[in-house]
């Protein structure tokens, strides 16, 4: 029971069946975790830690992913059907203006956290003009494919996370709608900034490139501002543990590597792999 409007509930159920059907036909999804292969720059995401941009290790000359993910796609534009309420005050130090009684499990958050690392890395990489051509190609790939694009893949993950937030049965619908719309709009703003960035890479407009890259980072950060701090700390811990366990840096955990994780991390990671693949 997610306390969503009837329209939202219908959209969620329809998207669920579409996702299930698409999962029977695996496709390559080269997550915009800008899998730069030998061109990869690294992105600090925690104290003293450097990370290759992708867990979908890219090793071929053509930057084709060696791992295959099941399609997890949802048309996030359907979320626009939710009723919008312009603004009401958010309680201080709260991740949501509404009363949330249960947050989605970490396996739903982790792939979005990887996406955030990608956007952060892109923002840093955009400062180097020599990377513009390559980054544009990655963004071209990110937006290609229509409803099967990586753009919709990640928008769908965000929408799925939002749909799994459980609100108090007594919460006002207005506050629930505000919370849902704020999350949806933050993800959509990220995508719009990335789309504009792709266009400005082609035009080689430094000021606009900087503005778009900064805006994309700010928007995805806003999305994560709406996540409890304890969940953000937990997903970073999970990510670091998996990254440390992946000794051969191939983006997959062997049985021996998986065994080095704590029981909790191992459980979450298995669920994450079942959800979106490695």
């Amino acid at each position: 029971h997610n306390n969503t409007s009837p329209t939202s509930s219908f959209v969620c159920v329809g998207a669920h069946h579409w996702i299930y059907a698409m999962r029977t036909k695996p496709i390559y999804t080269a997550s915009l975790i800008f899998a730069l292969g030998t061109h990869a720059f690294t992105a600090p995401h925690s104290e003293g830690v450097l990370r290759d941009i992708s867990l979908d290790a890219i090793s071929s000359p053509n930057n084709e992913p060696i791992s295959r993910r099941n399609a997890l796609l949802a048309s996030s534009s359907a979320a626009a059907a939710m009723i919008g309420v312009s603004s009401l005050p958010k309680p201080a130090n709260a991740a949501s203006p509404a009363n949330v009684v249960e947050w989605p499990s970490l396996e739903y958050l982790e792939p979005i956290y990887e996406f955030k690392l990608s956007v952060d890395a892109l923002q840093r990489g955009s400062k180097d003009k020599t990377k513009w051509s390559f980054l544009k190609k990655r963004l071209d790939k990110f937006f290609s494919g229509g409803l099967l694009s990586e753009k919709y893949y990640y928008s769908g993950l965000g929408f799925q996370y939002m749909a799994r937030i459980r609100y108090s049965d007594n919460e006002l619908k207005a506050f629930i709608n505000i919370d849902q719309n704020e999350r949806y709009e933050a993800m959509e703003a990220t995508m719009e900034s990335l789309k504009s960035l792709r266009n400005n890479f082609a035009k080689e407009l430094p000021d606009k490139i900087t503005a778009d890259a900064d805006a994309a980072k700010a928007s995805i950060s806003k999305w994560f501002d709406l996540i409890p701090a304890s969940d953000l700390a937990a997903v970073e811990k999970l990510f670091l543990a998996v990254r440390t366990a992946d000794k051969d840096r191939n983006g997959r955990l062997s049985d021996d590597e998986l065994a080095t994780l704590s029981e909790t991390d191992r459980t979450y990671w298995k669920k994450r792999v079942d959800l979106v693949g490695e």
Side-chain angles (χ1 to χ4, degrees), residues 70-126:
N70 287 331
L72 181 59
L73 304 164
S75 175
S76 64
S77 61
M82 285 182 269
I83 299 171
V85 181
S86 59
S87 63
L88 283 177
K90 179 184 292 187
N93 301 317
S96 170
N99 183 16
V100 175
V101 297
E102 186 177 358
W103 293 92
S105 185
L106 286 187
E107 65 265 22
Y108 294 97
L109 183 60
E110 197 281 340
I112 307 173
Y113 178 71
E114 290 190 31
F115 176 63
K116 179 185 183 301
L117 295 183
S118 303
V119 175
D120 291 349
L122 172 62
Q123 187 265 346
R124 287 190 294 275
S126 67

Short mmCIF file of all heavy atoms in Angstrom, two decimals, residues 70-126:
data_model
loop_
_atom_site.label_atom_id
_atom_site.label_comp_id
_atom_site.label_asym_id
_atom_site.label_seq_id
_atom_site.Cartn_x
_atom_site.Cartn_y
_atom_site.Cartn_z
N ASN A 70 19.17 -7.23 -17.42
CA ASN A 70 17.78 -7.34 -17.85
C ASN A 70 17.21 -5.95 -17.97
O ASN A 70 17.59 -5.04 -17.24
CB ASN A 70 16.96 -8.14 -16.83
CG ASN A 70 17.29 -9.60 -16.87
OD1 ASN A 70 17.66 -10.12 -17.91
ND2 ASN A 70 17.17 -10.26 -15.73
N ALA A 71 16.30 -5.78 -18.89
CA ALA A 71 15.66 -4.47 -19.04
C ALA A 71 14.81 -4.20 -17.81
O ALA A 71 14.03 -5.02 -17.40
CB ALA A 71 14.78 -4.48 -20.28
N LEU A 72 15.02 -3.04 -17.23
CA LEU A 72 14.17 -2.59 -16.13
C LEU A 72 13.72 -1.21 -16.51
O LEU A 72 14.36 -0.22 -16.18
CB LEU A 72 14.95 -2.58 -14.81
CG LEU A 72 14.14 -2.15 -13.60
CD1 LEU A 72 12.95 -3.09 -13.42
CD2 LEU A 72 14.99 -2.13 -12.36
N LEU A 73 12.65 -1.15 -17.28
CA LEU A 73 12.28 0.08 -17.93
C LEU A 73 10.90 0.51 -17.50
O LEU A 73 10.01 -0.31 -17.32
CB LEU A 73 12.29 -0.12 -19.45
CG LEU A 73 13.62 -0.61 -20.02
CD1 LEU A 73 13.42 -1.14 -21.42
CD2 LEU A 73 14.63 0.50 -20.00
N ALA A 74 10.71 1.80 -17.35
CA ALA A 74 9.38 2.34 -17.07
C ALA A 74 9.31 3.73 -17.63
O ALA A 74 10.25 4.49 -17.53
CB ALA A 74 9.12 2.35 -15.57
N SER A 75 8.20 4.08 -18.21
CA SER A 75 8.05 5.42 -18.75
C SER A 75 7.79 6.39 -17.62
O SER A 75 6.69 6.50 -17.11
CB SER A 75 6.88 5.46 -19.73
OG SER A 75 6.66 6.77 -20.16
N SER A 76 8.83 7.08 -17.19
CA SER A 76 8.69 7.97 -16.06
C SER A 76 7.77 9.13 -16.37
O SER A 76 7.26 9.79 -15.46
CB SER A 76 10.05 8.51 -15.63
OG SER A 76 10.61 9.30 -16.65
N SER A 77 7.55 9.38 -17.65
CA SER A 77 6.64 10.47 -17.98
C SER A 77 5.24 10.19 -17.46
O SER A 77 4.44 11.11 -17.25
CB SER A 77 6.59 10.68 -19.50
OG SER A 77 6.13 9.52 -20.16
N ALA A 78 4.93 8.91 -17.23
CA ALA A 78 3.62 8.57 -16.70
C ALA A 78 3.42 9.13 -15.31
O ALA A 78 2.30 9.36 -14.86
CB ALA A 78 3.45 7.05 -16.67
N ALA A 79 4.53 9.37 -14.60
CA ALA A 79 4.41 9.91 -13.25
C ALA A 79 3.82 11.30 -13.26
O ALA A 79 3.36 11.79 -12.23
CB ALA A 79 5.79 9.93 -12.58
N ALA A 80 3.85 11.96 -14.42
CA ALA A 80 3.28 13.29 -14.50
C ALA A 80 1.79 13.28 -14.26
O ALA A 80 1.16 14.32 -14.04
CB ALA A 80 3.58 13.90 -15.86
N ALA A 81 1.19 12.09 -14.28
CA ALA A 81 -0.24 11.99 -14.03
C ALA A 81 -0.58 12.30 -12.58
O ALA A 81 -1.72 12.56 -12.24
CB ALA A 81 -0.73 10.58 -14.37
N MET A 82 0.44 12.28 -11.72
CA MET A 82 0.18 12.58 -10.32
C MET A 82 -0.25 14.03 -10.14
O MET A 82 0.27 14.92 -10.80
CB MET A 82 1.43 12.29 -9.47
CG MET A 82 1.63 10.80 -9.27
SD MET A 82 3.02 10.48 -8.23
CE MET A 82 4.30 10.34 -9.44
N ILE A 83 -1.16 14.25 -9.23
CA ILE A 83 -1.66 15.60 -8.97
C ILE A 83 -0.56 16.43 -8.36
O ILE A 83 0.11 15.99 -7.43
CB ILE A 83 -2.85 15.54 -8.01
CG1 ILE A 83 -3.98 14.73 -8.63
CG2 ILE A 83 -3.34 16.93 -7.65
CD1 ILE A 83 -5.12 14.43 -7.68
N GLY A 84 -0.35 17.63 -8.84
CA GLY A 84 0.70 18.48 -8.32
C GLY A 84 0.16 19.51 -7.34
O GLY A 84 -0.90 20.06 -7.53
N VAL A 85 0.91 19.73 -6.28
CA VAL A 85 0.63 20.81 -5.34
C VAL A 85 1.90 21.63 -5.27
O VAL A 85 2.97 21.09 -5.05
CB VAL A 85 0.26 20.28 -3.95
CG1 VAL A 85 -0.04 21.43 -3.01
CG2 VAL A 85 -0.93 19.33 -4.05
N SER A 86 1.81 22.92 -5.51
CA SER A 86 3.00 23.74 -5.74
C SER A 86 3.99 23.72 -4.59
O SER A 86 5.13 23.35 -4.78
CB SER A 86 2.58 25.19 -6.01
OG SER A 86 1.85 25.71 -4.93
N SER A 87 3.59 24.05 -3.40
CA SER A 87 4.58 24.07 -2.33
C SER A 87 3.91 24.13 -0.97
O SER A 87 2.91 24.79 -0.78
CB SER A 87 5.51 25.29 -2.47
OG SER A 87 4.78 26.48 -2.34
N LEU A 88 4.47 23.39 -0.05
CA LEU A 88 4.12 23.47 1.36
C LEU A 88 5.42 23.31 2.12
O LEU A 88 6.36 22.70 1.62
CB LEU A 88 3.13 22.34 1.74
CG LEU A 88 1.67 22.55 1.31
CD1 LEU A 88 0.85 21.32 1.69
CD2 LEU A 88 1.06 23.79 1.93
N PRO A 89 5.51 23.84 3.33
CA PRO A 89 6.78 23.78 4.04
C PRO A 89 7.19 22.35 4.36
O PRO A 89 6.35 21.51 4.68
CB PRO A 89 6.49 24.58 5.32
CG PRO A 89 5.01 24.50 5.48
CD PRO A 89 4.47 24.53 4.09
N LYS A 90 8.48 22.07 4.23
CA LYS A 90 9.01 20.76 4.59
C LYS A 90 9.54 20.82 6.01
O LYS A 90 10.23 21.76 6.38
CB LYS A 90 10.15 20.39 3.64
CG LYS A 90 10.78 19.02 3.96
CD LYS A 90 11.96 18.73 3.07
CE LYS A 90 11.52 18.52 1.66
NZ LYS A 90 12.64 18.07 0.81
N PRO A 91 9.24 19.82 6.83
CA PRO A 91 9.76 19.82 8.19
C PRO A 91 11.28 19.86 8.18
O PRO A 91 11.92 19.28 7.31
CB PRO A 91 9.25 18.48 8.75
CG PRO A 91 8.06 18.14 7.90
CD PRO A 91 8.38 18.68 6.54
N ALA A 92 11.86 20.56 9.15
CA ALA A 92 13.32 20.68 9.21
C ALA A 92 13.96 19.31 9.37
O ALA A 92 13.46 18.45 10.11
CB ALA A 92 13.71 21.58 10.38
N ASN A 93 15.07 19.09 8.65
CA ASN A 93 15.87 17.87 8.75
C ASN A 93 15.07 16.62 8.37
O ASN A 93 15.35 15.53 8.84
CB ASN A 93 16.45 17.72 10.16
CG ASN A 93 17.33 18.89 10.54
OD1 ASN A 93 18.12 19.36 9.75
ND2 ASN A 93 17.18 19.37 11.77
N ALA A 94 14.05 16.77 7.54
CA ALA A 94 13.25 15.62 7.12
C ALA A 94 13.54 15.30 5.67
O ALA A 94 13.72 16.18 4.85
CB ALA A 94 11.77 15.92 7.31
N ALA A 95 13.59 13.99 5.36
CA ALA A 95 13.81 13.57 3.98
C ALA A 95 12.54 13.68 3.17
O ALA A 95 12.58 13.64 1.95
CB ALA A 95 14.34 12.14 3.95
N SER A 96 11.41 13.81 3.82
CA SER A 96 10.14 13.88 3.13
C SER A 96 9.19 14.81 3.87
O SER A 96 9.18 14.84 5.10
CB SER A 96 9.51 12.48 3.04
OG SER A 96 8.18 12.55 2.57
N PRO A 97 8.37 15.59 3.13
CA PRO A 97 7.35 16.42 3.77
C PRO A 97 6.20 15.56 4.28
O PRO A 97 5.37 16.03 5.06
CB PRO A 97 6.90 17.36 2.66
CG PRO A 97 7.13 16.58 1.41
CD PRO A 97 8.36 15.77 1.67
N ALA A 98 6.13 14.33 3.82
CA ALA A 98 5.07 13.42 4.23
C ALA A 98 5.60 12.45 5.29
O ALA A 98 6.81 12.27 5.44
CB ALA A 98 4.54 12.65 3.02
N ASN A 99 4.70 11.80 5.97
CA ASN A 99 5.08 10.85 7.01
C ASN A 99 5.33 9.49 6.37
O ASN A 99 4.40 8.78 5.99
CB ASN A 99 3.96 10.75 8.06
CG ASN A 99 4.34 9.82 9.20
OD1 ASN A 99 5.50 9.47 9.38
ND2 ASN A 99 3.34 9.40 9.96
N VAL A 100 6.60 9.13 6.22
CA VAL A 100 6.98 7.86 5.61
C VAL A 100 7.17 6.83 6.72
O VAL A 100 7.90 7.05 7.68
CB VAL A 100 8.28 8.01 4.81
CG1 VAL A 100 8.75 6.65 4.27
CG2 VAL A 100 8.09 8.99 3.65
N VAL A 101 6.52 5.69 6.55
CA VAL A 101 6.64 4.64 7.56
C VAL A 101 7.60 3.54 7.12
O VAL A 101 8.07 2.75 7.93
CB VAL A 101 5.26 4.02 7.91
CG1 VAL A 101 4.37 5.09 8.54
CG2 VAL A 101 4.60 3.43 6.68
N GLU A 102 7.88 3.47 5.81
CA GLU A 102 8.84 2.48 5.33
C GLU A 102 9.48 2.94 4.03
O GLU A 102 8.78 3.33 3.10
CB GLU A 102 8.15 1.13 5.10
CG GLU A 102 9.11 0.02 4.72
CD GLU A 102 8.42 -1.33 4.57
OE1 GLU A 102 7.19 -1.40 4.79
OE2 GLU A 102 9.10 -2.29 4.22
N TRP A 103 10.83 2.90 4.00
CA TRP A 103 11.57 3.29 2.81
C TRP A 103 11.94 2.05 2.01
O TRP A 103 12.06 0.96 2.57
CB TRP A 103 12.85 4.04 3.20
CG TRP A 103 12.57 5.37 3.83
CD1 TRP A 103 12.43 5.63 5.15
CD2 TRP A 103 12.39 6.62 3.15
NE1 TRP A 103 12.16 6.97 5.35
CE2 TRP A 103 12.13 7.59 4.14
CE3 TRP A 103 12.43 7.00 1.81
CZ2 TRP A 103 11.92 8.93 3.84
CZ3 TRP A 103 12.21 8.33 1.49
CH2 TRP A 103 11.95 9.28 2.50
N PRO A 104 12.12 2.18 0.70
CA PRO A 104 12.50 1.03 -0.12
C PRO A 104 13.83 0.43 0.34
O PRO A 104 14.69 1.12 0.86
CB PRO A 104 12.62 1.61 -1.53
CG PRO A 104 11.74 2.82 -1.51
CD PRO A 104 11.89 3.38 -0.12
N SER A 105 13.98 -0.86 0.11
CA SER A 105 15.19 -1.56 0.48
C SER A 105 16.38 -1.07 -0.37
O SER A 105 16.20 -0.51 -1.45
CB SER A 105 14.99 -3.05 0.28
OG SER A 105 16.10 -3.79 0.74
N LEU A 106 17.58 -1.32 0.12
CA LEU A 106 18.79 -0.76 -0.51
C LEU A 106 19.01 -1.22 -1.94
O LEU A 106 19.63 -0.50 -2.73
CB LEU A 106 20.03 -1.11 0.32
CG LEU A 106 20.25 -0.36 1.63
CD1 LEU A 106 21.62 -0.73 2.20
CD2 LEU A 106 20.14 1.14 1.43
N GLU A 107 18.52 -2.39 -2.31
CA GLU A 107 18.75 -2.84 -3.68
C GLU A 107 18.07 -1.94 -4.70
O GLU A 107 18.48 -1.88 -5.86
CB GLU A 107 18.29 -4.29 -3.88
CG GLU A 107 16.81 -4.52 -3.73
CD GLU A 107 16.42 -4.96 -2.33
OE1 GLU A 107 17.20 -4.70 -1.39
OE2 GLU A 107 15.34 -5.57 -2.19
N TYR A 108 17.06 -1.20 -4.28
CA TYR A 108 16.40 -0.26 -5.17
C TYR A 108 17.13 1.08 -5.25
O TYR A 108 16.99 1.81 -6.22
CB TYR A 108 14.96 -0.01 -4.70
CG TYR A 108 14.09 -1.23 -4.82
CD1 TYR A 108 13.87 -2.05 -3.71
CD2 TYR A 108 13.52 -1.60 -6.03
CE1 TYR A 108 13.10 -3.20 -3.81
CE2 TYR A 108 12.75 -2.74 -6.14
CZ TYR A 108 12.54 -3.54 -5.02
OH TYR A 108 11.78 -4.68 -5.13
N LEU A 109 17.94 1.36 -4.25
CA LEU A 109 18.66 2.63 -4.20
C LEU A 109 20.05 2.54 -4.83
O LEU A 109 20.53 3.50 -5.44
CB LEU A 109 18.78 3.10 -2.74
CG LEU A 109 19.44 4.45 -2.48
CD1 LEU A 109 18.69 5.58 -3.19
CD2 LEU A 109 19.53 4.72 -0.98
N GLU A 110 20.69 1.38 -4.71
CA GLU A 110 22.10 1.26 -5.11
C GLU A 110 22.36 1.61 -6.57
O GLU A 110 23.29 2.37 -6.87
CB GLU A 110 22.62 -0.13 -4.76
CG GLU A 110 24.14 -0.25 -4.75
CD GLU A 110 24.76 -0.38 -6.13
OE1 GLU A 110 24.02 -0.75 -7.08
OE2 GLU A 110 25.96 -0.13 -6.27
N PRO A 111 21.58 1.10 -7.53
CA PRO A 111 21.87 1.47 -8.93
C PRO A 111 21.67 2.95 -9.20
O PRO A 111 22.34 3.52 -10.07
CB PRO A 111 20.90 0.61 -9.75
CG PRO A 111 19.88 0.11 -8.79
CD PRO A 111 20.51 0.08 -7.44
N ILE A 112 20.77 3.60 -8.46
CA ILE A 112 20.59 5.04 -8.62
C ILE A 112 21.78 5.78 -8.02
O ILE A 112 22.19 6.83 -8.52
CB ILE A 112 19.26 5.51 -7.99
CG1 ILE A 112 18.10 4.68 -8.53
CG2 ILE A 112 19.01 6.99 -8.29
CD1 ILE A 112 16.77 4.95 -7.84
N TYR A 113 22.34 5.22 -6.96
CA TYR A 113 23.56 5.80 -6.37
C TYR A 113 24.71 5.74 -7.37
O TYR A 113 25.48 6.68 -7.52
CB TYR A 113 23.91 5.04 -5.10
CG TYR A 113 25.18 5.53 -4.43
CD1 TYR A 113 25.23 6.76 -3.78
CD2 TYR A 113 26.33 4.74 -4.45
CE1 TYR A 113 26.40 7.19 -3.17
CE2 TYR A 113 27.50 5.17 -3.84
CZ TYR A 113 27.53 6.39 -3.20
OH TYR A 113 28.69 6.83 -2.61
N GLU A 114 24.82 4.63 -8.09
CA GLU A 114 25.85 4.53 -9.12
C GLU A 114 25.63 5.59 -10.21
O GLU A 114 26.58 6.17 -10.73
CB GLU A 114 25.86 3.14 -9.74
CG GLU A 114 26.37 2.05 -8.82
CD GLU A 114 26.59 0.73 -9.56
OE1 GLU A 114 26.91 0.78 -10.76
OE2 GLU A 114 26.44 -0.33 -8.93
N PHE A 115 24.37 5.79 -10.56
CA PHE A 115 24.04 6.82 -11.55
C PHE A 115 24.49 8.20 -11.05
O PHE A 115 25.05 8.99 -11.81
CB PHE A 115 22.54 6.81 -11.83
CG PHE A 115 22.08 7.89 -12.77
CD1 PHE A 115 22.53 7.94 -14.08
CD2 PHE A 115 21.20 8.88 -12.33
CE1 PHE A 115 22.10 8.95 -14.94
CE2 PHE A 115 20.77 9.88 -13.19
CZ PHE A 115 21.21 9.92 -14.50
N LYS A 116 24.27 8.47 -9.78
CA LYS A 116 24.72 9.74 -9.20
C LYS A 116 26.23 9.89 -9.32
O LYS A 116 26.74 10.97 -9.67
CB LYS A 116 24.31 9.85 -7.74
CG LYS A 116 24.78 11.16 -7.06
CD LYS A 116 24.46 11.16 -5.59
CE LYS A 116 24.85 12.51 -4.96
NZ LYS A 116 26.30 12.81 -5.12
N LEU A 117 26.97 8.82 -9.03
CA LEU A 117 28.43 8.88 -9.17
C LEU A 117 28.81 9.20 -10.61
O LEU A 117 29.78 9.92 -10.86
CB LEU A 117 29.06 7.56 -8.74
CG LEU A 117 28.93 7.15 -7.27
CD1 LEU A 117 29.67 5.86 -7.03
CD2 LEU A 117 29.44 8.25 -6.34
N SER A 118 28.06 8.67 -11.55
CA SER A 118 28.33 8.92 -12.96
C SER A 118 28.13 10.38 -13.31
O SER A 118 28.94 10.99 -14.01
CB SER A 118 27.39 8.09 -13.83
OG SER A 118 27.49 6.73 -13.55
N VAL A 119 27.02 10.95 -12.83
CA VAL A 119 26.73 12.35 -13.11
C VAL A 119 27.79 13.24 -12.45
O VAL A 119 28.26 14.21 -13.06
CB VAL A 119 25.32 12.72 -12.62
CG1 VAL A 119 25.06 14.23 -12.80
CG2 VAL A 119 24.26 11.92 -13.37
N ASP A 120 28.18 12.90 -11.23
CA ASP A 120 29.22 13.67 -10.55
C ASP A 120 30.53 13.61 -11.34
O ASP A 120 31.23 14.62 -11.50
CB ASP A 120 29.46 13.14 -9.14
CG ASP A 120 28.28 13.39 -8.20
OD1 ASP A 120 27.38 14.17 -8.58
OD2 ASP A 120 28.27 12.82 -7.10
N ALA A 121 30.86 12.42 -11.84
CA ALA A 121 32.09 12.25 -12.61
C ALA A 121 32.00 13.00 -13.93
O ALA A 121 32.99 13.59 -14.39
CB ALA A 121 32.34 10.77 -12.87
N LEU A 122 30.83 12.99 -14.54
CA LEU A 122 30.63 13.72 -15.79
C LEU A 122 30.83 15.22 -15.56
O LEU A 122 31.46 15.90 -16.39
CB LEU A 122 29.22 13.48 -16.32
CG LEU A 122 28.78 14.32 -17.52
CD1 LEU A 122 29.67 14.05 -18.71
CD2 LEU A 122 27.33 14.03 -17.86
N GLN A 123 30.33 15.70 -14.45
CA GLN A 123 30.48 17.13 -14.15
C GLN A 123 31.95 17.50 -14.05
O GLN A 123 32.39 18.53 -14.56
CB GLN A 123 29.73 17.46 -12.86
CG GLN A 123 29.67 18.94 -12.52
CD GLN A 123 30.77 19.38 -11.57
OE1 GLN A 123 31.44 18.54 -10.96
NE2 GLN A 123 30.98 20.68 -11.46
N ARG A 124 32.74 16.63 -13.42
CA ARG A 124 34.18 16.90 -13.33
C ARG A 124 34.85 16.75 -14.69
O ARG A 124 35.69 17.55 -15.08
CB ARG A 124 34.83 15.95 -12.30
CG ARG A 124 34.50 16.29 -10.87
CD ARG A 124 35.37 15.47 -9.91
NE ARG A 124 35.05 14.05 -10.00
CZ ARG A 124 34.07 13.47 -9.31
NH1 ARG A 124 33.29 14.18 -8.51
NH2 ARG A 124 33.86 12.17 -9.41
N GLY A 125 34.47 15.69 -15.42
CA GLY A 125 35.09 15.45 -16.72
C GLY A 125 34.79 16.54 -17.74
O GLY A 125 35.60 16.79 -18.64
N SER A 126 33.64 17.20 -17.59
CA SER A 126 33.25 18.24 -18.55
C SER A 126 34.17 19.45 -18.49
O SER A 126 34.16 20.29 -19.40
CB SER A 126 31.81 18.68 -18.29
OG SER A 126 31.69 19.35 -17.06
#
